[in-house]
């Protein structure tokens, strides 16, 4: 057993007046499988980078081991996969490499293929295998399951369960519940470590939050009562003091000594009450600092006169001569929330873009039953990643006048001010920023260039814009990538409360189970 000791760590990025960390002290055991959680933009990736020695900081970080970081940067993707693994772990034996990729479900023949030809899931698995082959190093894993399908996530979860120790940044509740034994959380006011998995951490947090809210309410009532008592006692003391200098009463002079003594006792009592009041105020000031803001979100879905909003009949999608999905048929009825499932690369995103009318060319009859109206400008997050128009065959029928709000996967095009973005997309700026505030954006963050936002914050921008749009149908493509767990739970509550008609692709299994009313495999 050995410890990673962090002492009085303070760090701010160059040119920033805001400290990301200030006076942080932690002790982490290198035998732990540590899940690292916290709201977007609070510094999870920054802390991993500090452990890697990438930035200058004040304070101390002392570690008995070297660190490796996932995702690992591959300089030359034309290398075969075996060469990439050997460049990461040069001392690994071939049988060890075969063992690791077998555990991750990667075929042995992939070792002879160029790394550039691997899918996202295969790349993730190969890099994890290579990094874990460096057995004397401590692995820092930053969101390994983004963009991966459910089967790939389950494979990586099983793989991490078999490993001894690591720090894992993830917002995937299933992954966190099944492969960690400690939680490191960046809270609003501090950073702390707890034994257990995500679910046990959440139960403890809810219990602590409820206790603090109850204590806060009790102390507010006590402070109010003490304030009233202090005022009454002070008034009595003042009135009694004034009688020392009054006129004769029934021919007798007031006993100034007695009155002064009694007045002093009442003033002392008043001071004692004030002291108790101050103690209660100080105790109250120590509460609620880590209560997360999880205000309810709102959405404004429109009701369409038609029951069937979209009908797909034997749709097949092509890029050039390559077919990416074949003979897909389903109907989206008003009020349904359809989850599209399937392996990575099977054409789910292409199907969503087709429905949204992006770069489409049709190779057969297409019955739409009316024009597709988006009800405003859509941010599609960039060009089609496959680099061409979507060609398709089959029937696509859409209800007349259908208004669609679309959230794409890609956030790379986001830059500039939030105010300009809201104006560009016809969103009410006040509502747009109010939604972002509910999703844990600070007021300072609202004034920054979107280019400096974290990946999760950029995704929240796209979701907030969609929530501002009045639409008959909401189409969201992997909306939860990089988004923190508490925000995921807010979004779940919103969708369950307002029940908009949706088609979505999302590999967070918990989200799909709670939100989907139907599932379509591609």
């Amino acid at each position: 057993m050995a410890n990673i000791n962090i002492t009085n760590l303070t760090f701010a990025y160059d040119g920033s007046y805001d400290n990301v960390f200030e006076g942080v002290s932690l002790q982490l055991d290198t035998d732990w499988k540590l899940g690292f959680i916290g709201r977007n933009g609070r510094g999870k990736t920054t802390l991993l980078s500090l452990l890697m020695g990438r930035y200058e900081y004040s304070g101390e970080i002392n570690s008995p081991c070297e660190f490796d970081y996932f995702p690992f940067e591959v300089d030359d993707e034309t290398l075969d996969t075996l060469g990439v693994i050997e460049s990461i772990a040069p001392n690994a034996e071939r049988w060890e490499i075969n063992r690791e990729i077998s555990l991750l479900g990667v075929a042995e023949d992939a070792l002879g293929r160029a790394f550039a030809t691997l899918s996202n899931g295969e790349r993730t698995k190969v890099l994890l295998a290579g990094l874990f082959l460096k057995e004397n190093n401590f692995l820092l894993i930053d969101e390994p399951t983004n963009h991966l399908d459910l089967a790939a996530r389950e494979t990586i979860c099983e793989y991490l369960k078999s490993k001894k120790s690591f720090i894992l940044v993830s917002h995937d509740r299933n992954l966190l519940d099944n492969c960690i034994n400690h939680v490191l959380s960046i809270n609003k006011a501090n950073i702390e470590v707890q034994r257990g998995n995500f679910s046990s951490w959440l139960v403890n947090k809810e219990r602590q939050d409820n206790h603090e809210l109850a204590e806060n309410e009790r102390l507010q009532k006590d402070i109010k009562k003490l304030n009233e008592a202090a005022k009454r006692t002070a008034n009595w003391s003042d009135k009694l003091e004034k009688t020392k200098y009054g006129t004769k009463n029934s021919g007798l002079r007031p006993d100034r000594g007695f009155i002064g003594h009694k007045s002093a006792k009442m003033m002392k009592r008043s001071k004692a009450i004030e002291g108790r009041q101050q103690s209660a105020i100080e105790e109250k000031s120590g509460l609620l600092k880590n209560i997360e803001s999880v205000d309810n979100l709102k959405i404004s879905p429109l009701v369409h006169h038609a029951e069937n909003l979209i009908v797909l009949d034997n749709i097949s999608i092509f890029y050039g001569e390559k077919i990416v999905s074949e003979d897909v048929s389903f109907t989206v009825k008003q009020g349904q929330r359809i989850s599209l499932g399937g392996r990575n690369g099977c054409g789910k995103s292409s199907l969503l873009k087709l429905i949204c009318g992006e770069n489409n060319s049709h190779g057969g009859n297409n019955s739409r039953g009316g024009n597709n109206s988006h009800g405003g400008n859509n941010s599609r997050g960039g060009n089609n990643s496959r680099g061409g128009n979507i060609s398709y065959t089959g029937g696509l029928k859409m209800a007349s006048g259908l208004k669609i709000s679309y959230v794409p996967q890609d956030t790379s095009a986001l830059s500039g001010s939030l105010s300009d973005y809201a104006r560009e997309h016809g969103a009410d700026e006040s509502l747009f920023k109010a939604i972002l505030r509910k999703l844990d954006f600070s007021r300072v963050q609202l004034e920054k260039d979107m280019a400096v936002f974290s990946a999760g914050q950029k995704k929240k921008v796209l979701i907030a814009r969609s929530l501002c749009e009045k639409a008959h149908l909401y189409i969201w493509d992997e909306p939860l990538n990089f988004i923190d767990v508490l925000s995921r739970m807010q979004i779940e509550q919103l969708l369950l409360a307002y029940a908009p008609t949706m088609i979505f692709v999302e590999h967070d299994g918990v989200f799909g189970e709670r939100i989907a009313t139907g599932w379509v495999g591609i």
Side-chain angles (χ1 to χ4, degrees):
M1 182 188 297
N3 292 325
I4 301 165
N5 292 300
I6 300 172
T7 307
N8 202 29
L9 174 66
T10 299
F11 172 76
Y13 285 103
D14 290 341
S16 174
Y17 296 102
D18 301 320
N19 285 335
V20 181
F21 301 112
E22 186 167 357
V24 171
S25 295
L26 290 169
Q27 188 176 83
L28 309 175
D29 194 317
T30 56
D31 282 337
W32 289 345
K33 295 197 280 191
L34 192 67
F36 193 7
I37 63 175
R39 289 275 211 169
N40 294 128
R42 292 217 179 139
K44 298 183 295 297
T45 297
T46 300
L47 183 58
L48 300 190
S49 296
L50 290 168
L51 292 174
M52 292 290 295
R54 293 176 177 172
Y55 303 123
E56 296 292 327
Y57 58 88
S58 63
E60 293 184 2
I61 298 177
N62 295 310
S63 172
C65 55
E66 296 294 322
F67 295 105
D68 278 312
Y69 181 79
F70 176 92
F72 183 83
E73 292 290 337
V74 177
D75 295 328
D76 184 2
E77 294 191 354
T78 64
L79 284 174
D80 61 40
T81 301
L82 178 60
V84 169
I85 294 177
E86 289 175 339
S87 70
I88 298 172
N91 296 322
E93 300 286 344
R94 179 61 184 268
W95 68 267
E96 294 176 308
I97 295 173
N98 289 343
R99 178 196 64 199
E100 293 301 304
I101 67 167
S102 175
L103 287 172
L104 285 161
V106 178
E108 188 175 347
D109 62 12
L111 295 175
R113 290 160 46 198
F115 184 78
T117 67
L118 301 184
S119 69
N120 285 335
E122 288 172 326
R123 291 184 183 206
T124 295
K125 294 170 183 178
V126 163
L127 293 179
L128 280 174
L131 290 167
F132 272 113
L133 282 166
K134 299 173 72 173
E135 292 183 351
N136 293 326
N137 288 17
F138 191 79
L139 191 52
L140 310 176
I141 310 171
D142 198 354
E143 305 205 50
T145 59
N146 281 317
H147 301 295
L148 298 189
D149 60 48
L150 191 57
R153 289 179 180 223
E154 289 174 352
T155 299
I156 287 171
C157 180
E158 290 300 315
Y159 183 71
L160 293 179
K161 282 169 68 174
S162 71
K163 296 303 176 183
K164 178 183 176 184
S165 57
F166 48 78
I167 295 178
L168 169 67
V169 175
S170 180
H171 304 301
D172 187 316
R173 287 160 283 185
N174 184 64
L175 185 68
L176 291 170
D177 270 347
N178 284 284
C179 68
I180 65 171
N181 53 33
H182 284 76
V183 174
L184 173 64
S185 59
I186 298 186
N187 305 318
K188 290 178 70 174
N190 65 349
I191 303 178
E192 63 181 2
V193 178
Q194 286 187 25
R195 182 189 297 273
N197 61 15
F198 172 76
S199 289
S200 65
W201 173 85
L202 184 61
V203 168
N204 289 336
K205 177 167 179 52
E206 289 174 346
R207 184 182 295 125
Q208 179 65 26
D209 287 353
N210 290 335
H211 171 72
E212 290 196 9
L213 288 166
E215 280 296 290
N216 181 69
E217 185 177 356
R218 180 184 66 79
L219 288 169
Q220 280 183 323
K221 292 178 181 178
D222 287 351
I223 290 167
K224 183 179 180 180
K225 290 178 181 177
L226 289 167
N227 186 47
E228 292 171 352
K231 286 180 179 178
R232 285 197 303 270
T233 307
N235 289 338
W236 291 339
S237 177
D238 288 342
K239 289 178 181 179
L240 190 60
E241 184 69 19
K242 289 176 183 177
T243 64
K244 288 168 57 176
Y245 307 100
T247 57
K248 292 182 180 180
N249 183 14
S250 303
L252 300 175
R253 291 183 179 277
D255 187 337
R256 294 180 180 177
F258 173 77
I259 293 173
H261 175 70
K262 191 170 182 180
S263 173
K265 283 185 67 176
M266 297 186 79
M267 184 58 70
K268 185 176 179 181
R269 182 184 173 194
S270 174
K271 293 295 183 184
I273 293 173
E274 288 178 3
R276 286 166 55 200
Q277 181 184 19
Q278 186 59 37
S279 295
I281 291 171
E282 289 173 359
E283 185 179 352
K284 182 177 179 296
S285 70
L287 299 173
L288 308 186
K289 290 183 177 180
N290 279 326
I291 300 290
E292 297 286 357
S293 176
V294 285
D295 295 336
N296 291 334
L297 300 168
K298 295 181 179 180
I299 193 171
S300 301
L302 298 175
V303 177
H304 200 279
H305 60 81
E307 181 183 4
N308 294 338
L309 301 188
I310 296 177
V311 178
L312 290 89
D313 183 18
N314 290 318
I315 292 286
S316 297
I317 296 177
F318 303 83
Y319 286 97
E321 298 299 318
K322 182 180 180 182
I323 186 167
V324 293
S325 61
E326 189 171 10
D327 295 334
V328 178
S329 299
F330 65 90
T331 299
V332 180
K333 296 181 180 294
Q334 193 155 202
Q336 289 185 320
R337 296 185 295 278
I338 302 297
S339 172
L340 295 187
R343 58 176 175 77
N344 289 124
C346 70
K348 298 184 296 296
S349 294
S350 298
L351 194 62
L352 296 185
K353 291 176 181 179
L354 173 67
I355 294 169
C356 289
E358 182 173 312
N359 298 329
N360 297 341
S361 62
H362 186 236
N365 292 329
N366 179 17
S367 175
R368 291 184 177 272
N371 294 325
N372 180 10
S373 170
H374 288 283
N377 292 327
N378 266 345
S379 171
R380 303 191 186 279
N383 294 326
N384 179 0
S385 63
R386 294 181 181 269
N389 291 337
I390 303 173
S391 299
Y392 71 99
T393 60
L396 173 59
K397 185 182 294 185
M398 303 176 69
S400 176
L402 187 67
K403 293 184 178 180
I404 296 175
S405 178
Y406 174 52
V407 172
Q409 281 190 36
D410 189 12
T411 63
S412 60
L414 292 178
S415 62
S417 74
L418 289 168
S419 297
D420 289 344
Y421 180 84
R423 284 192 292 272
E424 179 186 350
H425 296 280
D428 182 294
E429 183 179 349
S430 297
L431 175 61
F432 176 60
K433 290 184 175 179
I435 293 170
L436 289 174
R437 286 282 289 149
K438 290 182 177 182
L439 289 169
D440 199 50
F441 273 61
S442 67
R443 295 190 185 279
V444 172
Q445 196 73 30
L446 295 178
E447 304 306 317
K448 292 183 178 180
D449 190 311
M450 290 187 289
V452 304
F453 287 0
S454 71
Q457 289 171 324
K458 287 182 177 181
K459 203 70 177 188
K460 287 179 179 179
V461 169
L462 298 183
I463 289 175
R465 188 261 306 150
S466 182
L467 296 184
C468 288
E469 294 176 346
K470 295 182 179 180
H472 300 110
L473 176 65
Y474 293 83
I475 295 181
W476 289 4
D477 193 358
E478 298 194 26
L480 301 186
N481 276 342
F482 303 103
I483 286 186
D484 63 79
V485 176
L486 293 176
S487 296
R488 292 181 184 215
M489 295 167 70
Q490 278 179 283
I491 294 167
E492 286 172 6
Q493 291 168 1
L494 160 82
L495 298 178
L496 291 172
Y498 288 85
T501 306
M502 295 189 76
I503 309 173
F504 66 89
V505 174
E506 180 50 59
H507 300 303
D508 181 327
V510 177
F511 181 86
E513 288 175 6
R514 293 179 177 174
I515 298 305
T517 61
W519 185 87
V520 174
I522 305 299

